[in-house]
Amino acid sequence: MLIYPNPVKENYITITSPLEGLKEIKIYTIAGKKILDTTINGNTLDISSINSGFYILKVTINNKSKLSKLIIK
């Protein structure tokens, strides 16, 4: 799974995966507070409502999950 750009300067990130299906997205602060919980069908996620900082991004497709660091500038 690829998540780019990271660090992010724009309002969108792209999430690509060889797995097909809906992408369940959760973004957490470093302290563990969930700040975004959504599902996308494509590859683009709007992050314009999230403040600058360091986050943990969890992407789940067909019950397979990946955690990644996400830096928003």
Side-chain angles (χ1 to χ4, degrees):
M1 187 177 308
L2 290 173
I3 298 164
Y4 60 92
N6 193 6
V8 185
K9 293 180 184 173
E10 305 298 323
N11 291 328
Y12 296 93
I13 58 172
T14 301
I15 303 167
T16 60
S17 171
L19 295 175
E20 296 291 327
L22 293 175
K23 295 177 180 81
E24 297 172 34
I25 312 289
K26 293 180 177 27
I27 298 180
Y28 300 90
T29 65
I30 295 299
K33 180 182 176 190
K34 187 180 351 176
I35 58 167
L36 181 71
D37 188 348
T38 189
T39 301
I40 61 173
N41 194 16
N43 293 332
T44 306
L45 176 65
D46 181 355
I47 55 165
S48 60
S49 63
I50 301 174
N51 294 328
S52 298
F54 295 92
Y55 299 94
I56 302 296
L57 172 69
K58 181 179 181 183
V59 180
T60 305
I61 305 170
N62 297 331
N63 295 320
K64 296 185 192 279
S65 297
K66 179 177 179 179
L67 291 175
S68 300
K69 291 184 221 171
L70 178 64
I71 301 168
I72 301 175
K73 291 190 170 187

